[in-house]
Structures are given as C-alpha cells and as structure tokens.
Amino acid sequence: MNASYDVIVIGAGPAGAEAAATAAGLGLATLVLDEARAAGGLVYRAPDPGLAAHEPDGNAMRTRLAGSGATVAFEHRVWHVAPIAADDERPARFEVSAVGPTGLVTVQAAALIVATGAVERCYPRPGWTLPGVIGLGAATVMLKSQRTLPGRRVVVAGPGPLAPLVANLILQGGGKVVAMIDPNPLGRWFGAVTGVAKRPGLAAQGGSWLARLVVKGVPAYRGWDVRTINGRDGVESVTLGPVDGKWRPVPGAPERTVDADSVCLGYGLTPAAEIYRLLGADEHYVGALGGWVPVQRQGRRTSVARLYAAGDGAGVEGAAAAPLSGRLAALSAAFDLDRLDASTHERESAATQAELARAARFGSAMAKLVAPVASAMADVPDDTIICRCEDVTAGAVRAEVAAGVREINALKAATRCGMGPCGARMCADATTALMECAGVPFTEIGRLTARTPLRPVPLAALTGTYDYSDIPLPEKLDT
C-alpha cells in the first residue's frame, strides 16, 4: 500500500466496489478500504473462507474489483478522516487513518469517495437487550457469511424487504420462523407497487420470498408490532399486538404471545453519514432517504471540494442504485482531477444518471415502507433501555426533555446517551424520536456531532507497544 493516491474509496459494498473499479479503469491511482474480509457490503456479504458464495451478482462484483487494478485493503477499519490544506508543494488533499492487520495505516488522496452504506435503525422494545435479539442487518451477515442460524424458533419483525429476506435465509438454513411481524398494513405495500414495477426482476425476487413464506406456513402479522420480548437469561417468547398507521399500539386490541428463542428486529436503515459531518459537508434531513444525508450537487459532489457521496450512506436508495451512484462519483472525480475530457464525462455521466434514476425508483418505493416513524417510540415504557452502551432509559430521556433540554447534543451531555462505543448508531434515531414524541419540534433537536474515532479501535493499535521506561521524563533539576 502506497502513502498517496489519486482517489480513496471508503467502503467496498456495491457502491464502493463499482466506484473503485471505475476510477481505476479511468487511470486513477485508487485505494479502497473496507472492514470486511472481502467486498460485498451487507447486501452481497462474502461468505467466510471455506463456504461457497451463492449470489452471482456479488461474485461478479468481487471479480470486477479484483481485476480493475485498484489497490484493495480489506480488514481495515477507518477511524479518522481529515482535510489537509494546500501548500506550496501540494494541492488540498484528504488524509485517511485506518487500523488493519499490521497496525495503523495513514494514506492521502486528492479525492475521496465515501461509500459507507447504511446502519440499522433501532426502535427499542422492552427486552430487546436479552441474548438472542439481533438486528435484521446483523442477522443477514450471520446467515450469509457464517451460515449460522440466529435460533431454532425465530420471530422476524420489521417493515420493508429486509425482514422477508432474513426469514427466507432462516428457512433455507433449516431454522423455523414462528412469526413474521410488519407494522405496515398490506395496503401500504400495495402503494409501493408502482415503483416496484419499474424493476420487474427485483419485484419477482421479492414475490418469491413472500410466496415461500406462505408455502412454508409462516404466520404473518401485518399491521402488528412487537410489544415486549420476554425471558430471563435469553429470549423465551415475544408479545405482539396491532398498531395504527403511525406504528402506535391500538388501545384495547388483543395481544398474542409467541414462543421463540430468538428475535430478528429492525426498523429500516439510516445512512452512515458521519464522515460527511466530520468533514463539514452540508447536510439536510430527507425522511424518504433514511434521515440526515449530505447535500448533493451534480455528479454526486458534496459541498466539500473533491468529496463525493455514493451508495446508501448518501441516502438509502437500494442495492440496484448503489453501483450506479458509485460509478457516477468516480466519473466526477476523474473529471475534476483532469483525467477525463469534458465530452466523455458528459456522455458517460448522463447515461449513468439516467440508469440511476430508473434504479432509484425501486429503492424509493421500498424506502417509503421503512421511512423513520417517530411515533413508534411514543408508548415505549420508561424503564426500556434506549442507549445500551450507557444504560440510559427512555424515562431518563423524557425527564431531561421535561427539564428543558431541547437539543440532542445537550441531552447527550446530560445523560451520556450516545457516548458509548457504538457512537450512537444504535440510539440516535430512537433518542430523536423520543424527544419529538415528548414535544420537542424536530427542527430544534438537531443531530449528533461526529467525532473521532469514527469506529471503535484498540488503543494499542494507535499507540504501539511501550512500557513505563519508554515514557520520556524531564531531567531532575539541581536545587
């Protein structure tokens, strides 16, 4: 790995892999960094060594990246990104720090493409911290990369297409899905048909998932949600009940309790936008794209020069749109670095943008099913843990709001909610929703600031090995 590149791509999912392959194909010295063992991201997660990969699209993506000429650095966790101002010898650049198998790595590039994907949105329910409860995204990784079942009798709960995918993977692995729970009524799915029809192949795939669940006799509860997850040392059962159109419990409606040993639970995806925030890029809130996203100019450009946004980390638009956004970002980077002439750039970008718009219609249709719904947190009991890193409860959040806290960073300072090793990825959306339900206007809540480290990293990886004798001490002064 060199110390300097034309472009660095952070993330090797569908967007990042295509961005890196396109940039390298245009003659740019390209480095792609990713935490995983291989390219794929969540949607095309590569299996562990010794296990066969069954997804042709994922295999094709990895083959294209491997043959592109881009330098790939897997098992590298990016923990810091910073701009470097121009000087007499070099123009402005980006510096990226990561921890890999050999320790700390610091590299620079003239352009940066961020393709960090999305993280799960969590709306906590009583009992969600019990062993046996995992997110839908985490379940996807477990099932695809390790071929490991989350349990033998599993409840799968959540809106959108990820829940039926996870349910199908569990069935394929020999597990049993004892309930499929979706807070959206069936009518809301019908409302997405127009966008789904634009991508008949994907629509057919989704239809096959749902059909298989019906054939296997999986009980489906549409317009229902999880009330509580019950157990002492692990999941023993799940209580569920009907919800209204705002995902709030229907008063007086009958509940059901289902025996289970595991729960896969998630409420959509939210863009992993910390790097844009850290670099000072302009952001705005777009619920249809999952939350806070960078403001984009033509060609996936952000407000920061030579910083480009790709994939679901710039707005959740789905796997079909992700590689096209990565390609568009790479074309813009090549043009801005004077490595692509104007006519070629205009022609290639226009064709890619048109294809991206078509693909994004499907993602947008699905995004409507998983858009943030703050009212889903309105009736969560006070003793429910919201920030599991710091053991902050819903009641503690509500108490601070009642005491006058109106901004999320102030609430973080008052409660430590969001100060744990997950960097608020698990609790930020839930905390915002609680504040909104408690009467704070969304426009006043704001968003959490981004800070280094972007991901948890071992202190030893940053400091190296030393003992007390290595610490420089000042010489003793004679008196």
Side-chain angles (χ1 to χ4, degrees), residues 343-358:
S343 61
T344 303
H345 171 254
E346 183 177 353
R347 182 181 66 254
E348 294 291 332
S349 294
T352 302
Q353 182 61 59
E355 191 175 355
L356 171 60
R358 289 191 294 271

Side-chain angles (χ1 to χ4, degrees), residues 179-262:
M180 266 284 303
I181 306 170
D182 186 344
N184 289 317
L186 193 58
R188 191 166 292 174
W189 280 85
F190 289 148
V193 167
T194 303
V196 169
K198 302 294 184 181
R199 302 286 295 189
L202 293 175
Q205 183 183 58
S208 69
W209 293 344
L210 296 174
R212 188 176 297 116
L213 297 177
V214 173
V215 170
K216 293 291 186 180
V218 175
Y221 298 88
R222 300 196 180 278
W224 289 54
D225 201 0
V226 172
R227 292 274 200 275
T228 62
I229 302 168
N230 315 305
R232 292 179 62 85
D233 300 318
V235 175
E236 297 174 7
S237 66
V238 178
T239 300
L240 51 144
V243 293
D244 62 19
K246 294 184 177 181
W247 297 0
R248 296 186 61 164
V250 176
E255 299 179 342
R256 294 187 182 181
T257 298
V258 179
D259 292 338
D261 61 10
S262 180

Side-chain angles (χ1 to χ4, degrees), residues 57-85:
D57 289 343
N59 293 337
M61 180 201 67
R62 285 183 279 273
T63 299
R64 170 162 163 71
L65 178 60
S68 68
T71 301
V72 295
F74 296 119
E75 298 183 272
H76 279 72
R77 173 169 288 190
V78 173
W79 67 276
H80 182 58
V81 180
I84 301 177

Side-chain angles (χ1 to χ4, degrees), residues 322-345:
L324 296 165
S325 70
R327 175 172 173 76
L328 192 59
L331 289 168
S332 296
F335 176 74
D336 294 346
L337 293 174
D338 296 322
R339 306 295 282 275
L340 188 64
D341 65 86
S343 61
T344 303
H345 171 254

Side-chain angles (χ1 to χ4, degrees), residues 99-123:
V99 173
T102 60
L104 181 62
V105 173
T106 299
V107 288
Q108 296 182 8
L112 181 65
I113 299 175
V114 178
T116 44
V119 295
E120 295 188 76
R121 179 180 300 110
C122 178
Y123 289 151

Side-chain angles (χ1 to χ4, degrees), residues 248 373-379 398 432-440 445:
R248 296 186 61 164
V373 181
S375 51
M377 290 296 296
D379 295 284
R398 290 173 177 136
T432 298
L434 277 173
M435 296 179 72
E436 193 172 353
C437 290
V440 182
I445 295 172

